[in-house]
Amino acid sequence: MAGPSEDYQSSLGNDDVKDQEDAHESSNPVDEEQDIEGDSMAHLASNSIHRSSSRPQLDLSKAAIQGTFEERDPTILLPNQSDDISHLALDIGGSLIKLVYFSRHEEQSTVDKRKKTVKQRLGISNGIRRSYPILGGRLHFVKFETNKINECLEFIDSKQLHRSGVDAHHWGSESPNSQPIDNAVIKATGGGAFKFTDLFRERLGVSIEKEDEMDCLVAGANFLLKAIRHEAFTHIEGQKEFVQIDHNELFPYLLVNIGSGVSMIKVDGDGKFERVSGTNVGGGTYWGLGRLLTKCKSFDELLELSQRGDNRTIDMLVGDIYGGMDYSKIGLSASTIASSFGKAISENKELKDYRPEDISLSLLRMISYNIGQISYLNALRFGLKRIFFGGFFIRGHAYTMDTISFAVHFWSRGEMQAMFLRHEGFLGALGAFMSYEKHGLDDLMVHQLVERFPMGAPYTGGNIHGPPLADLNEKISWMEKFVLKGTEITAPVPMAKPGTTGLGGFEVPSSKGGTLRSDASALNVGVLHLVPTLEVFPLLADAKTYEPNTIDLSETGELEYWFTVLLEHLPDLVDKAVASEGGTDDAKRRGDAFARAFSAHLARLMEEPAAYGKLGLANLLELREECLREFQFVDAYRSIKQRENEASLAVLSDLLMELDSMSEETRLLTLIEGVLAANIFDWGSRACVDLYHKGTIIEIYRMSRNKMQRPWRVDDFDEFKERMLGSGFQKPRPHKRALLFVDNSGADIVLGMLPLARELLRRGTEVVLVANSLPALNDVTAMELPAIVAEAAKHCDILRRAAEAGGLLVDAMTNTIDGSKEISSSVPLMVVENGCGSPCIDLRQVSSELAAAAKDADLVILEGMGRALHTNLNARFKCDALKLAMVKNQRLAEKLVKGKIYDCVCKYEPAG
C-alpha cells in the first residue's frame, strides 16, 4: 500500500541529493574562527540538560563549531559524546511501516574573511541560543508495507540508518575519547515494535526501544502543527484550504487517529493528553469488509474502486422513503443517506449482482460518516472547536476527507470544521523520533523548516525501493527508465527535436487506459530541511499577517497562465544551463532530466494545485531553481552574468562623473530613474529576453533611461525625495542604516543599485547590500558581490572607503581582521546573504546574518519584480520602505498596477 511520494523518496536517496543550498566547499576548522566562537561555546558546554533519567543526555564538554558560524548549518562536534545520536525512528503498524529518518548536512563553507568583518560590524554573536545543539540537516518520510518488511530492512541497511546514516563518521571520530557505535538502539512504536524485535536484532544488530503509541501520536501532531506552516487544511467539496494556526493558541484540540481502529485524543498541551473515546469501526473495518465483499487485493485498489462508484444503488436515501422529496422539516435533503446498504434489504439481488465500485463507495461513506459524527460528539462533549484527523485511512483521499468534513459540518450545524494533516500517516513515527529528546526539534519554529520536493515527488505508480542512488548518473538513469515505463504520467515531457541539442515542443504521453489514480488528490510529502540559522525578518510590521505572494494562483486562469509562462521559458533555460556546463554530452543529458522533472512537477500541480502545500508564484519559481540544483546545474547564467558585469563596469566611471555634476535634487531623481531603467535586465522575463537580440546591454540601458518619463505607474518619488532632502530650509536626519535588496547582475547592480548605495553612503548612511545566498536566473549573489564592489571601487573613493570599512576589499580586510589595525571609521558598505536562492523572497525565512543587519536599519529598499512585485508589494515594515521595479510581464502589469509592460513602480511607505 505504499504511496508514490515516499516510495520515490526512498528510491532516490534524498540524502544524496546535493541541494545547492547545502553545497558549500569543504574546509577545516580555523584557529581564528575558533577564537571568536570560543567564549560562546564554553558557555554552551557549561549548560547541562536535565531530562528524564531514562534518556541519554548530551555531553557538551569541549564542544566546538567546525568551520564557520556564518554558514547556514554549522557542524558542532561533540568529542565526548558516547551515546549515538540516532537518525531513525519507526512506526510499525499492522499494514504499514512508517519511517522518519534524519540526514546531516555534510558540506562545509569556505572560510570567508569578509564575513568576519560584517560579523564584527553587526555585532553578531555565535548565534546559538540554546543550551544544546540543534543539527542542520534533512528529515525524510518513507513508508513500506508491513508484509514487505524485508524491503524495509534492506533500505535501512543500505543507508546505514541504524548506524546514524551516511555521516556517522562525524560523531566521535575526531577524538580518542569517542566510542564506536555498537549495540545501537532505535526507537519504534506500533504493534510491530514488539512483533519484529528479534528480526531487527538478527538482521541489523540493533535493539528496539519501544515507545508508547499514544505518546508518539500526540508528540508528532504537536510538532507538525507548531512547526509546519502549511500542515493543517480543510477539505470541503473537493477544495483544500490551508489553515495557519498560531501555536500559542493551538490547545486544546481533538486528535482523531484513524488506523485499523479509531482513537480520539483530547490534547491539552505538550505531553498533556487523554484518550477520551474511540471506535472499533475504522480503516480495518473498511479494508476487511471491502476485501470480503469486492475481492480487492489492496486498500488502495478498494479506494480506487470507490472513485467510480454510485452509492445510490445500495444506500437507502431520504428521497427513497419520501418519494423523491426532502424532509425539510428536520433539515434532511432527499440525497441524505437514511440507511447505509438499506436497499439491499428490499431488492432481490445477490452479492454478485452489485458492482464492486458501488459497494466500496457505500462502505467508505458509512464508515467515514460514522467517524465524523462520533468525533463531533466528543468535541462537543469537551467544548473543543478544533478536530484534526490523521492516520493512513485518510491518506489524502479526497472523497474520504469530503465525507468526514460533511459529517462534522452537518452535525455541528457549521460551527466546527474537520481539519486534516499533510503528514497524517507519520504522526507516530515522528513522535518516536522526537522521543530521543536529543535533537532539540521541539524548539524548532516554522521559519527554520524548508520543505523541498525531489524529482520523484510528482510521479505516480510503481513501488520502487532499494539502496540510495549513489551518483547523479544513477539518478538520471532512473529518471529515463521511469519516463519510458511510466505511461501513467500526465506531465508534458519535453522531447528534443531531431538533430537539435535543445528542447523543442512538448508531448503529453497518453494515459494508461481509463484507469483512475487512487491518489489523485493525495498530498505529497517532501523532505524537511532543518535550517536553524533562518529567522523571521525583524522589520516586518506584523509577521503573523505577512503574506509574501501578491498573485493568487487559485483565481481562475492564473495557474494555467503561469504554468504556460514557465514552460515557454524552459527550453531557453535548459540551453543556458547546458552551456554553463560547457555543452558536454553529460550536461545535455542532465538538462533533459531537469526539464522532464520540472515538467512533471508542473503537471502534478496543475492536476492538484495544493499537492505540495499552499501554492504561490514564489513557490513555483523556487521549485524551478531547486530542480536545477538537483541535477547539479550550479549557476545556469554564470557566463552571462560575468559578461554583463564587465560591460557595465566599463561605463560606470562615466556615469558617476555625470551624476556628480548634477544638483542634489536632479541627482536623486536620476538615481531612481537609473535603478528602474537598469531593472529591465531580467533573463526570467520573456519580453526582456527578446530585447537582448536587439542590442548590447549598454544600448538597451540607454534606451531604457531615455524612456524614463514621469509620472510612473506607481509614483511616490516626491514623498521619498522629501524624506531624503527635506523641504524648505529644514534638512532631515539621514537614515542610520539602509538595507538594499538587490536583484540582477550586470547593469541592474552596477549602474542602478551601486550608484544609489553610493549616494546613501555620501549622506552618512550605512549601506548593507542584501543578495541571494544561491544563484537564481541572472540574480547577483552574495558571493559575487564583493568582487563587483571591488571593481567599482576602483572608480570611486566613496565606494572604496566604504568597502574597506565593510570588509569588502581583501587587502584592507586582512589588516583589520588580524587586529593589526582598527576597523575603518568610514561609513561601511557591507554585503549579507538573504538566505534563499530564488528570484523572490519570503521575509519569514531570512538568514540570521540579514536579521542581525536589520537590527539598526531604518530604511529598506526592495528592488526588482521578484522581490518587490511577485512578493512583498503589499508588505508593511516598521521602518521606511521603498519598492522599485520595472514591470516586465503584461499579466502582472494588469493585475498589480493596472498598467502595461515596462511600466515603473516607485512605491514609498514611511515608517508606521
Side-chain angles (χ1 to χ4, degrees):
M1 287 182 286
S5 61
E6 292 80 16
D7 289 336
Y8 291 116
Q9 288 171 32
S10 63
S11 70
L12 292 174
N14 288 312
D15 48 338
D16 296 306
V17 175
K18 298 265 195 275
D19 291 321
Q20 189 175 357
E21 166 182 282
D22 315 311
H24 302 301
E25 294 179 27
S26 181
S27 66
N28 294 321
V30 197
D31 292 339
E32 294 168 345
E33 191 66 13
Q34 287 179 338
D35 289 341
I36 293 174
E37 304 296 349
D39 293 340
S40 298
M41 287 308 302
H43 173 71
L44 183 153
S46 67
N47 286 280
S48 59
I49 303 175
H50 299 287
R51 301 187 186 272
S52 168
S53 59
S54 64
R55 310 293 186 201
Q57 296 184 10
L58 284 176
D59 184 347
L60 301 178
S61 58
K62 297 187 178 179
I65 289 183
Q66 180 178 11
T68 63
F69 147 71
E70 292 89 349
E71 66 186 72
R72 176 106 2 122
D73 39 32
T75 295
I76 300 174
L77 299 179
L78 305 179
N80 296 327
Q81 176 63 35
S82 59
D83 297 312
D84 172 34
I85 305 295
S86 181
H87 287 235
L88 169 69
L90 303 95
D91 179 0
I92 311 176
S95 302
L96 293 168
I97 302 172
K98 286 79 68 176
L99 283 75
V100 172
Y101 71 92
F102 181 79
S103 64
R104 286 269 303 283
H105 291 323
E106 291 189 273
E107 300 84 0
Q108 305 288 316
S109 67
T110 55
V111 177
D112 188 349
K113 291 187 176 182
R114 297 181 188 91
K115 285 192 172 185
K116 294 184 179 180
T117 303
V118 171
K119 179 175 177 179
Q120 289 174 291
R121 276 285 183 191
L122 300 179
I124 302 176
S125 63
N126 92 353
I128 297 179
R129 293 175 296 279
R130 299 175 177 84
S131 59
Y132 54 92
I134 178 168
L135 306 178
R138 309 178 186 97
L139 205 57
H140 307 258
F141 303 86
V142 186
K143 65 178 183 286
F144 294 82
E145 294 181 50
T146 304
N147 60 14
K148 296 179 180 177
I149 190 169
N150 286 328
E151 289 185 6
C152 175
L153 294 170
E154 289 169 5
F155 176 73
I156 293 171
D157 187 53
S158 69
K159 287 181 176 289
Q160 290 290 291
L161 299 180
H162 56 309
R163 296 185 179 277
S164 294
V166 295
D167 53 3
H169 62 277
H170 279 309
W171 293 104
S173 61
E174 317 294 335
S175 167
N177 296 327
S178 63
Q179 298 180 11
I181 302 172
D182 291 319
N183 301 318
V185 175
I186 60 175
K187 301 279 192 174
T189 190
F194 297 86
K195 183 178 179 180
F196 296 112
T197 295
D198 293 340
L199 185 59
F200 272 79
R201 183 181 294 112
E202 292 167 7
R203 291 286 301 277
L204 301 176
V206 300
S207 299
I208 288 181
E209 184 170 332
K210 304 165 188 68
E211 293 295 322
D212 180 77
E213 195 163 354
M214 292 298 146
D215 286 343
C216 291
L217 285 173
V218 172
N222 285 347
F223 170 75
L224 291 168
L225 288 168
K226 288 193 292 186
I228 311 296
R229 181 171 287 111
H230 297 141
E231 178 63 29
F233 62 95
T234 59
H235 197 288
I236 301 172
E237 296 181 353
Q239 298 298 313
K240 295 184 181 72
E241 183 174 340
F242 288 90
V243 181
Q244 180 59 34
I245 299 168
D246 187 335
H247 71 269
N248 294 317
E249 300 174 359
L250 173 62
F251 306 112
Y253 67 86
L254 185 69
L255 176 62
V256 181
N257 189 67
I258 312 173
S260 298
V262 182
S263 288
M264 299 182 185
I265 308 164
K266 177 176 175 283
V267 182
D268 294 306
D270 291 318
K272 300 176 182 177
F273 65 90
E274 176 186 3
R275 185 181 188 274
V276 294
S277 187
T279 171
N280 57 353
V281 179
T285 312
Y286 177 59
W287 174 212
L289 284 176
R291 186 168 180 271
L292 291 173
L293 295 173
T294 68
K295 308 302 181 185
C296 282
K297 298 292 193 296
S298 73
F299 192 99
D300 284 334
E301 183 184 352
L302 190 63
L303 276 180
E304 185 179 339
L305 274 181
S306 72
Q307 294 181 191
R308 305 195 297 272
D310 183 355
N311 69 300
R312 294 173 298 179
T313 65
I314 298 178
D315 291 342
M316 183 180 292
L317 309 181
V318 168
D320 295 325
I321 300 173
Y322 290 94
M325 304 292 290
D326 295 338
Y327 192 172
S328 56
K329 183 177 180 179
I330 59 174
L332 299 177
S333 68
S335 61
T336 301
I337 298 175
S339 175
S340 294
F341 288 87
K343 282 185 180 176
I345 300 172
S346 56
E347 295 177 336
N348 187 23
K349 292 181 179 180
E350 300 296 327
L351 178 61
K352 60 182 174 57
D353 298 322
Y354 291 99
R355 296 172 65 233
E357 293 91 336
D358 302 339
I359 292 173
S360 176
L361 180 58
S362 179
L363 190 60
L364 179 64
R365 293 188 71 166
M366 178 183 76
I367 293 171
S368 298
Y369 278 146
N370 183 61
I371 293 171
Q373 182 179 10
I374 296 174
S375 301
Y376 156 71
L377 291 173
N378 276 283
L380 181 67
R381 174 185 169 199
F382 293 101
L384 306 177
K385 294 298 183 183
R386 293 195 181 97
I387 310 175
F388 296 102
F389 292 85
F392 264 112
F393 171 72
I394 300 170
R395 66 187 63 200
H397 189 251
Y399 201 91
T400 305
M401 294 187 288
D402 272 350
T403 307
I404 291 174
S405 296
F406 178 84
V408 172
H409 184 271
F410 177 85
W411 290 109
S412 71
R413 300 181 183 274
E415 293 185 4
M416 294 186 195
Q417 283 186 316
M419 286 184 277
F420 305 91
L421 304 174
R422 295 185 56 230
H423 295 77
E424 60 189 8
F426 292 96
L427 302 185
L430 184 56
F433 186 86
M434 301 282 290
S435 72
Y436 287 106
E437 296 187 354
K438 296 188 293 185
H439 299 290
L441 292 181
D442 51 332
D443 283 347
L444 268 177
M445 300 299 289
V446 63
H447 56 270
Q448 295 169 330
L449 290 160
V450 182
E451 191 170 21
R452 305 293 188 206
F453 295 91
M455 69 181 189
Y459 294 113
T460 65
N463 295 306
I464 303 174
H465 296 293
L469 300 180
D471 58 36
L472 187 64
N473 282 331
E474 290 183 30
K475 198 184 304 184
I476 295 174
S477 296
W478 179 89
M479 167 70 73
E480 292 168 340
K481 289 175 184 176
F482 185 87
V483 170
L484 289 174
K485 173 186 174 185
T487 53
E488 295 140 359
I489 316 174
T490 58
V493 179
M495 307 296 289
K497 291 180 179 178
T500 68
T501 57
L503 293 168
F506 296 91
E507 297 181 6
V508 180
S510 58
S511 61
K512 180 185 287 184
T515 303
L516 292 175
R517 285 175 40 183
S518 62
D519 71 328
S521 295
L523 286 145
N524 292 48
V525 175
V527 179
L528 287 179
H529 288 239
L530 315 182
V531 190
T533 53
L534 288 180
E535 298 188 24
V536 178
F537 189 57
L539 293 177
L540 286 174
D542 186 351
K544 289 184 179 180
T545 61
Y546 167 77
E547 169 55 48
N549 291 291
T550 53
I551 298 295
D552 185 357
L553 294 184
S554 65
E555 291 183 9
T556 305
E558 282 300 316
L559 203 58
E560 292 86 345
Y561 172 80
W562 288 105
F563 279 9
T564 301
V565 169
L566 290 171
L567 286 172
E568 286 178 348
H569 185 249
L570 189 55
D572 183 69
L573 177 59
V574 172
D575 286 343
K576 295 292 186 299
V578 171
S580 74
E581 298 289 323
T584 63
D585 289 341
D586 172 69
K588 294 172 187 175
R589 188 175 176 223
R590 284 188 283 130
D592 285 345
F594 152 70
R596 292 176 187 275
F598 183 54
S599 296
H601 278 295
L602 293 182
R604 178 72 181 95
L605 291 169
M606 179 63 77
E607 177 187 31
E608 181 59 47
Y612 299 170
K614 187 176 181 181
L615 186 64
L617 184 55
N619 307 111
L620 281 179
L621 297 176
E622 187 170 28
L623 181 61
R624 177 181 60 188
E625 301 302 326
E626 287 296 324
C627 282
L628 279 170
R629 292 172 198 132
E630 188 171 4
F631 291 96
Q632 295 186 8
F633 289 106
V634 177
D635 188 349
Y637 288 83
R638 178 169 42 200
S639 59
I640 292 173
K641 291 193 292 183
Q642 184 176 354
R643 185 168 64 248
E644 293 186 353
N645 286 337
E646 290 172 354
S648 301
L649 285 164
V651 299
L652 176 62
S653 179
D654 291 340
L655 174 62
L656 297 182
M657 289 177 60
E658 179 186 348
L659 289 167
D660 288 343
S661 68
M662 298 176 181
S663 66
E664 193 174 44
E665 184 173 330
T666 303
R667 185 168 66 244
L668 185 61
L669 175 60
T670 304
L671 286 165
I672 299 301
E673 287 177 341
V675 171
L676 293 171
N679 190 234
I680 197 171
F681 298 98
D682 190 339
W683 281 91
S685 164
R686 171 58 58 188
C688 295
V689 170
D690 293 339
L691 282 177
Y692 289 107
H693 302 297
K694 300 177 182 178
T696 66
I697 183 173
I698 301 305
E699 290 170 342
I700 298 169
Y701 171 71
R702 287 173 179 156
M703 175 198 71
S704 182
R705 281 290 302 270
N706 291 335
K707 292 185 177 181
M708 287 286 108
Q709 294 184 359
R710 297 182 64 197
W712 301 313
R713 177 55 56 180
V714 177
D715 194 339
D716 295 336
F717 173 76
D718 291 335
E719 290 87 340
F720 178 66
K721 180 184 71 173
E722 184 173 342
R723 170 61 185 87
M724 293 291 291
L725 307 181
S727 58
F729 297 102
Q730 186 171 3
K731 291 291 184 182
R733 174 184 54 81
H735 290 97
K736 180 178 180 181
R737 177 182 292 166
L739 304 180
L740 275 60
F741 288 76
V742 298
D743 190 13
N744 305 302
S745 296
D748 200 349
I749 179 65
V750 177
L751 305 180
M753 291 299 276
L754 276 184
L756 179 59
R758 175 179 179 261
E759 183 68 17
L760 291 167
L761 291 165
R762 186 204 297 265
R763 295 173 178 278
T765 300
E766 293 182 359
V767 174
V768 180
L769 300 177
V770 184
N772 270 11
S773 300
L774 305 171
L777 294 173
N778 63 317
D779 289 359
V780 67
T781 68
M783 286 292 289
E784 296 165 339
L785 255 182
I788 296 172
V789 172
E791 284 299 312
K794 294 177 181 178
H795 306 288
C796 173
D797 286 342
I798 297 174
L799 288 176
R800 180 181 57 77
R801 289 193 298 270
E804 288 177 355
L808 298 181
L809 299 183
V810 177
D811 292 340
M813 174 209 55
T814 303
N815 292 332
T816 61
I817 290 301
D818 294 335
S820 58
K821 189 168 77 176
E822 298 248 340
I823 291 180
S824 170
S825 59
S826 299
V827 177
L829 172 64
M830 295 171 278
V831 171
V832 300
E833 59 179 335
N834 58 21
C836 77
S838 166
C840 303
I841 185 169
D842 183 343
L843 293 173
R844 294 170 299 196
Q845 293 180 302
V846 303
S847 70
S848 55
E849 188 178 87
L850 173 53
K855 181 177 59 175
D856 295 321
D858 49 3
L859 174 62
V860 167
I861 299 179
L862 289 157
E863 181 237 357
M865 276 212 312
R867 292 158 187 80
L869 292 180
H870 289 153
T871 53
N872 301 305
L873 180 64
N874 303 317
R876 304 292 298 189
F877 298 92
K878 297 175 182 176
C879 64
D880 292 351
L882 181 66
K883 300 165 187 177
L884 301 169
M886 177 181 282
V887 186
K888 290 152 288 190
N889 175 277
Q890 185 61 45
R891 185 88 162 202
L892 277 179
E894 294 169 356
K895 291 191 71 68
L896 298 184
V897 297
K898 295 181 172 56
K900 60 185 184 299
I901 196 167
Y902 301 131
D903 273 342
C904 292
V905 172
C906 175
K907 186 177 183 181
Y908 174 66
E909 297 161 334

